[in-house]
Amino acid sequence: MSEEKNLTEQESLQIITEMIHKVKGSFHESGTSAILWGSVVGFCGLFSFVKAHFDFSTGWFDVWFLTLIAIVPQVIISIKESRQRKILTYEESAMNAVWLVFGISIFALAFYNNVVPGVSENFYAKDGIELLQRNKATGEISAFHPFIFSESSIFLILYAIPTLVTGLARKFKPMIIGGIICYLLFIVSCFVSFQYDMLLQGIAGIINWLIPGLILRNMFLKGKAC
Amino acid sequence: MFKELDPILHSQLRLAVMSLLIAVKEAEFTFIREKTNSTAGNLSVQIQKLKDAGYVDVVKQFKDNYPLTTCKITKKGINAFEDYVKALQQYLQVGK
């Protein structure tokens, strides 16, 4: 392509159309990450089903640990793909944000599942309560490990998802900070009672949406005034 | 009254570069060279002109011990491109 050629309006339009079209055909998803996670999660799910159905033990080894191990090849794949990538589209950038936040949320849920039983027992223990269960057939009494489900904690994860995705995709710091704080509030909510969960929900609403919303409103009004 | 076409954009290679960059968040120099079928020297000069006008940001770094140049359109560049397209539409409507 030469530089100083005198362009007609039609030629200009043709260049614009041609270049935008060239970009459209330049990016193809390799599918490697999807294959990796599809295989790992698929295997873990099916293995857990077979294990429950045939009632056998794998000792200390939980097959779902494989999902943690799979993070290693995922990191390698991500580095390799980012090295090979010559362009970053807006769509790809937004999709990266979606999958990153999805990953964080999955780990937040895993954290919730592991922490809540111990916290639930502590709540009862504080009131001097120990829960027991009795086997009707044998009469055997054993400790019952409660799991106090807190929907507020789950809601906090849900609040964080769209905020952090929007913040990352649009590079809007108030929403990135809001989303991160919301995940931190989720961690706190795993250890406190329902009453404090409500306080955390209120804080999350203010930090997650109200403050970024006011900043956006301010920017919008400034833009309108110009 | 017709708007004058921005002389920075009204050039074959610079317009091609801006048209590529408007569609992506960022692109490597080699990608732009490949898609515009231009020489490295000519492309460098034109990108520098776009950079001087504040239409693109250029980041130079190293990847695997090789220099890597990444280009990104700026807000000013987006506005200039949009104005250029609007002006172009005016000319084309009259030509119909």
Side-chain angles (χ1 to χ4, degrees):
Chain A
M1 198 170 268
S2 67
E3 152 47 10
E4 295 303 339
K5 189 186 169 229
N6 214 359
L7 286 176
T8 64
E9 290 79 23
Q10 275 83 5
E11 281 172 334
S12 292
L13 196 67
Q14 199 187 337
I15 289 172
I16 295 170
T17 318
E18 191 189 330
M19 288 300 135
I20 290 175
H21 189 72
K22 275 187 179 177
V23 169
K24 270 188 184 171
S26 300
F27 177 72
H28 299 285
E29 191 70 65
S30 72
T32 319
S33 299
I35 292 168
L36 170 71
W37 289 104
S39 311
V40 173
V41 174
F43 174 76
C44 293
L46 292 175
F47 185 84
S48 298
F49 171 76
V50 170
K51 188 183 153 194
H53 188 75
F54 294 105
D55 197 22
F56 64 88
S57 166
T58 50
W60 60 269
F61 180 74
D62 184 344
V63 72
W64 289 96
F65 281 140
L66 289 177
T67 56
L68 290 176
I69 297 167
I71 293 172
V72 178
Q74 177 58 66
V75 170
I76 296 167
I77 291 165
S78 299
I79 293 171
K80 211 176 160 190
E81 283 186 345
S82 77
R83 278 185 178 173
Q84 284 168 349
R85 191 179 56 207
K86 290 190 165 184
I87 52 166
L88 178 66
T89 61
Y90 290 101
E91 183 198 16
E92 193 195 353
S93 168
M95 285 302 114
N96 286 346
V98 170
W99 286 99
L100 174 71
V101 174
F102 167 75
I104 296 170
S105 302
I106 287 283
F107 276 96
L109 276 178
F111 174 80
Y112 178 79
N113 256 348
N114 285 296
V115 156
V116 169
V119 173
S120 302
E121 246 171 89
N122 282 344
F123 276 139
Y124 281 111
K126 264 185 197 168
D127 293 335
I129 299 168
E130 185 189 8
L131 296 177
L132 301 169
Q133 60 185 352
R134 190 172 68 87
N135 186 319
K136 269 187 178 176
T138 61
E140 188 191 342
I141 294 172
S142 58
F144 177 75
H145 302 291
F147 187 103
I148 305 174
F149 175 74
S150 162
E151 59 180 27
S152 308
S153 301
I154 306 297
F155 274 124
L156 284 170
I157 298 177
L158 289 177
Y159 292 169
I161 293 172
T163 312
L164 192 54
V165 168
T166 310
L168 289 171
R170 294 195 176 154
K171 290 233 157 84
F172 184 53
K173 268 189 188 168
M175 279 193 162
I176 296 175
I177 294 167
I180 292 170
I181 290 177
C182 210
Y183 278 114
L184 296 175
L185 292 175
F186 153 75
I187 294 172
V188 175
S189 81
C190 293
F191 298 97
V192 297
S193 66
F194 178 76
Q195 186 193 346
Y196 287 100
D197 276 354
M198 292 299 102
L199 174 68
L200 297 174
Q201 295 257 345
I203 297 169
I206 292 167
I207 293 171
N208 228 12
W209 297 312
L210 182 62
I211 295 174
L214 288 171
I215 295 168
L216 281 174
R217 182 91 193 147
N218 197 25
M219 284 159 67
F220 170 73
L221 292 175
K222 267 186 190 167
K224 226 177 167 185
C226 287
Chain B
M1 183 75 183
F2 288 116
K3 264 186 160 180
E4 202 185 315
L5 289 170
D6 184 343
I8 301 280
L9 293 181
H10 199 58
S11 110
Q12 199 178 12
L13 186 48
R14 288 197 293 270
L15 182 61
V17 172
M18 288 294 281
S19 304
L20 279 180
L21 292 178
I22 197 92
V24 296
K25 203 169 181 184
E26 57 186 46
E28 284 182 18
F29 182 85
T30 49
F31 174 84
I32 302 171
R33 196 188 63 200
E34 189 187 305
K35 296 295 170 188
T36 55
N37 288 325
S38 55
T39 62
N42 191 12
L43 183 60
S44 291
V45 173
Q46 302 316 321
I47 285 179
Q48 188 58 45
K49 283 185 187 175
L50 290 169
K51 191 188 168 195
D52 292 341
Y55 291 177
V56 296
D57 271 340
V58 179
V59 177
K60 289 182 180 180
Q61 54 195 353
F62 281 89
K63 187 165 89 175
D64 299 331
N65 292 326
Y66 287 98
L68 172 75
T69 306
T70 311
C71 303
K72 193 177 175 181
I73 197 164
T74 62
K75 201 145 198 161
K76 191 179 173 188
I78 293 171
N79 292 337
F81 188 82
E82 282 174 354
D83 286 345
Y84 181 84
V85 172
K86 272 181 207 161
L88 209 59
Q89 280 170 339
Q90 278 189 329
Y91 281 105
L92 289 168
Q93 270 167 5
V94 168
K96 271 183 185 175

